[in-house]
Amino acid sequence: MDGNGRWAKQRGLPRTAGHTAGEENLAAVVRSAVRLGIDHLTVFGFSTENWVRPRQEVRHILGLHKKLFGRVAELNELNVRVRWIGRPFDDPAARTPRYVQRAIAKAIRDTEANTGMTLTVAFDYGSRTEIAHAVETLRRDGREITVEAIDSALYQPDLPPVDVLVRTSGETRVSNFLLWQAHGAPISFASAAWPDYSSDDLRAAVELARNSPNHR
Ligand code: FPP
């Protein structure tokens, strides 16, 4: 969800206002995704690298996660199931505060009976850390390191492969997001900053996925 900071700067607002607008747009994008019949939407909410941002910005983004995970009534109305992908809370390097852990656990519990779209929020997530964790888990269990074994040891092994990756705000570089799962996926480039990412942009991403030679 890139470009919150730039969106705010263009309007003479603090970066935190961009993140607030980003969270509100995420709620709108979730509605659009449900309308388009998308089964899985996974969003990058906070990366393992984001902890070095100014404390006030980190605190603000954490608060927005609490807000998002608190939208249970809205998610239930949309029949959306919430999941989380990220570094396990008991990992020695994990830094997720207890109140965010509790909000995540509660949202998962309160939406687990929903049968529509799965919204997976990546929080304290890094793809390279995830892959290293999978390999380390297999090694510790004395398992052979194969592609299938790594698949099965990822944070959320049930998550299907990525059909299309979206980059907003004119970014054209690969980020540390679902690198293993997005193998072969097309990338949908949107010039809109995340707070302006629209249902038309999402529709274009779905089209790109449908027209991809790897489409399942
Ligand atoms: C990247 O834009 C955005 C983030 C690091 C935070 C994303 C968080 C939200 C949209 C808040 C709500 C989301 C959830 C899941 C609760 P940036 O800050 O790097 O902006 P820039 O690229 O313009 O500097």
Side-chain angles (χ1 to χ4, degrees):
M1 296 182 284
D2 265 305
N4 294 340
R6 278 165 280 178
W7 181 94
K9 193 167 175 209
Q10 277 162 12
R11 286 159 180 78
L13 298 168
R15 291 178 61 82
T16 48
H19 295 312
T20 300
E23 194 276 336
E24 276 158 20
N25 196 43
L26 175 57
V29 169
V30 166
R31 281 187 185 274
S32 302
V34 168
R35 225 176 298 124
L36 285 170
I38 292 173
D39 287 330
H40 283 268
L41 179 67
T42 304
V43 294
F44 208 171
F46 197 80
S47 77
T48 47
E49 291 86 30
N50 283 156
W51 294 106
V52 300
R53 290 191 178 208
R55 263 171 71 159
Q56 193 215 355
E57 185 178 348
V58 169
R59 204 173 312 128
H60 186 81
I61 297 176
L62 297 191
L64 288 173
H65 278 75
K66 187 161 180 266
K67 183 173 175 204
L68 174 83
F69 287 114
R71 290 179 184 263
V72 164
E74 211 172 316
L75 295 165
N76 281 339
E77 178 212 317
L78 293 166
N79 197 20
V80 169
R81 191 163 62 122
V82 172
R83 287 170 92 181
W84 159 72
I85 184 171
R87 187 157 51 183
F89 298 142
D90 61 359
D91 186 292
R95 295 171 59 176
T96 304
R98 292 299 280 265
Y99 78 92
V100 178
Q101 295 184 24
R102 279 197 294 270
I104 291 175
K106 183 167 179 350
I108 293 173
R109 209 171 45 238
D110 291 352
T111 63
E112 72 188 351
N114 292 339
T115 54
M117 186 176 84
T118 300
L119 170 66
T120 305
V121 179
F123 181 89
D124 195 22
Y125 176 80
S127 192
R128 301 200 319 157
T129 300
E130 178 185 32
I131 296 165
H133 175 264
V135 172
E136 175 57 19
T137 305
L138 295 170
R139 193 192 60 78
R140 232 187 13 237
D141 294 347
R143 306 249 315 269
E144 203 184 330
I145 313 292
T146 63
V147 168
E148 293 73 22
I150 293 176
D151 268 336
S152 73
L154 295 173
Y155 293 146
Q156 288 287 356
D158 297 344
L159 209 62
V162 171
D163 290 319
V164 60
L165 201 62
V166 171
R167 290 253 48 187
T168 62
S169 201
E171 295 291 349
T172 52
R173 69 199 156 76
V174 171
S175 74
N176 191 12
F177 187 55
L178 303 179
L179 293 170
W180 182 272
Q181 298 87 331
H183 157 81
I187 306 180
S188 178
F189 296 104
S191 54
W194 174 255
D196 290 332
Y197 188 79
S198 68
S199 55
D200 283 345
D201 291 324
L202 187 62
R203 206 167 297 121
V206 169
E207 269 317 294
L208 190 64
R210 289 213 175 105
N211 295 328
S212 156
N214 291 340
H215 184 56
R216 291 172 290 130

